[in-house]
Amino acid sequence: MNVSVIIVNYNGLAFTRQCLESLFRFHTSDSFEVIIVDNNSSDGSQIELPKLFPQINFISLPENKGFGAANNVGAKKATGEFLFFVNNDTLFIQETIEKLTNFLSSHNTYGIVGPKLLNENSSFQLSFGNFPSMQTELRAKNMAESYFLQSKEEIVSNKPIRKDWVTGAALMIRRKVFESIGGFDEQFFMYFEDIDLCKAMSTKGYQSLYVPFVNLIHLGGKSYEKINDKILYEYRRSQLRYYDKHNFLFQRIIVRVYIFLKFLPKIFIKTDNKNSMNILRLVFSNHK
């Protein structure tokens, strides 16, 4: 197999089913394999998905160790020269695998490529950026919230653009590069593990490339809507770990001050009290 498609599932049966249906609608080649890694779901995924899609390689884990850890399990079982990590809440609308593989095969200086992600209504979804600092994160937030703040080139151009990172929602990487950097850092339960992967890859002399002529719909985390407190906590935990791992002391202080000021007033709101207190405790923890 030339490409291994790796999808992590956690209580996302309906989303994963849609994703696989769209994948096989546009891809009939036998040059790729599909590996589903289930993070100990309780919604029937472990029974239904292998039954619905007998052609997939289904791996069931005994516990949920996080997104990066599950992807690492899938990568160890993979046989492809290229690994294509795809979120289960994505929908294929074209021959994405062939296009990304052909591009990566012919551009040896790049280790990772990512497509243009679209919202469900086909509008542009920000899926790349610069390595995190408080400045770049705030700028990315503004870009994500306002269509008009995004540069015209990044929205409408079909010209590939080199970026510090592309999102793990749809990320293709050379297998040899992935193995050389030890895969995803499993200390990131979810969030920032993709940026950390791109950062680690850059130290090996490879670059990340955003390829806007390849499109993929990303429903944008809808499968996590019911557990917002946990998601928020894990986001901040991963954010702090990334800063502690990669950024200088000044940036580590600034991000802590920012989070402290953001969540301190929320401890006086009954509905936000517990989660806000937990996040404030993170500020004073060591995440290396």
Side-chain angles (χ1 to χ4, degrees):
M1 298 290 181
N2 193 39
V3 180
S4 297
V5 180
I6 301 171
I7 302 173
V8 174
N9 176 71
Y10 175 63
N11 289 333
L13 174 59
F15 290 100
T16 305
R17 178 176 182 171
Q18 289 182 79
C19 176
L20 290 173
E21 287 173 346
S22 68
L23 169 64
F24 292 120
R25 187 178 306 125
F26 287 95
H27 303 83
T28 57
S29 171
D30 59 359
S31 64
F32 69 92
E33 63 180 350
V34 179
I35 300 172
I36 304 295
V37 184
D38 186 84
N39 258 332
N40 196 28
S41 294
S42 58
D43 66 344
S45 292
Q46 299 179 25
I47 297 173
E48 293 299 323
L49 289 175
K51 185 190 303 182
L52 292 167
F53 305 97
Q55 67 270 53
I56 66 174
N57 183 351
F58 190 87
I59 301 171
S60 181
L61 301 182
E63 60 181 310
N64 183 358
K65 291 188 175 181
F67 183 75
N71 273 318
N72 284 343
V73 171
K76 288 176 182 177
K77 296 290 185 180
T79 61
E81 177 186 356
F82 302 101
L83 306 177
F84 188 27
F85 298 101
V86 187
N87 273 20
N88 72 323
D89 58 350
T90 55
L91 297 173
F92 290 81
I93 54 176
Q94 57 187 212
E95 296 80 10
T96 303
I97 296 175
E98 288 85 350
K99 291 182 179 182
L100 289 179
T101 304
N102 291 338
F103 192 87
L104 194 53
S105 297
S106 59
H107 294 78
N108 293 328
T109 60
Y110 296 105
I112 287 176
V113 294
K116 177 191 286 186
L117 296 188
L118 303 174
N119 295 308
E120 196 170 4
N121 63 1
S122 296
S123 62
F124 178 84
Q125 182 180 125
L126 191 65
S127 54
F128 53 79
N130 297 319
F131 291 132
S133 66
M134 283 309 300
Q135 297 94 320
T136 60
E137 283 203 79
L138 290 173
R139 179 174 179 270
K141 181 180 179 181
N142 288 335
M143 288 176 68
E145 291 177 351
S146 175
Y147 180 94
F148 300 103
L149 289 176
Q150 299 165 28
S151 72
K152 181 178 179 181
E153 179 184 18
E154 290 173 332
I155 294 175
V156 302
S157 174
N158 278 334
K159 179 181 178 182
I161 307 171
R162 183 163 64 88
K163 293 293 181 180
D164 284 348
W165 61 267
V166 295
T167 178
L171 178 155
M172 182 176 285
I173 184 171
R174 299 178 191 276
R175 180 192 183 94
K176 65 177 183 179
V177 174
F178 186 81
E179 292 177 344
S180 73
I181 58 182
F184 287 102
D185 181 345
E186 297 184 7
Q187 293 301 310
F188 295 94
F189 185 83
M190 60 188 303
Y191 296 115
F192 284 84
E193 71 286 314
D194 47 359
I195 305 176
D196 176 76
L197 184 77
C198 293
K199 181 75 171 180
M201 184 199 66
S202 69
T203 66
K204 299 291 184 179
Y206 289 94
Q207 300 171 338
S208 300
L209 197 70
Y210 162 64
V211 186
F213 59 77
V214 184
N215 295 169
L216 192 70
I217 291 177
H218 181 220
L219 301 177
K222 286 190 176 180
S223 55
Y224 299 117
E225 286 179 349
K226 296 181 180 179
I227 48 175
N228 286 331
D229 282 353
K230 178 176 173 57
I231 296 301
L232 181 58
Y233 176 84
E234 290 298 341
Y235 177 86
R236 293 303 178 184
R237 189 175 77 86
S238 292
Q239 182 184 36
L240 288 168
R241 173 167 174 75
Y242 182 91
Y243 275 75
D244 285 352
K245 184 176 179 180
H246 296 295
N247 290 36
F248 291 117
L249 178 61
F250 177 73
Q251 283 288 333
R252 300 202 300 269
I253 293 173
I254 290 297
V255 73
R256 280 171 162 77
V257 170
Y258 170 78
I259 294 173
F260 182 82
L261 293 177
K262 183 178 180 67
F263 286 93
L264 181 61
K266 296 184 179 182
I267 67 173
F268 302 105
I269 302 173
K270 186 176 181 179
T271 55
D272 295 336
N273 176 272
K274 184 177 179 180
N275 199 49
S276 297
M277 286 295 295
N278 288 334
I279 291 173
L280 288 178
R281 290 189 187 100
L282 287 174
V283 171
F284 300 102
S285 302
N286 189 324
H287 302 274
K288 288 186 178 180

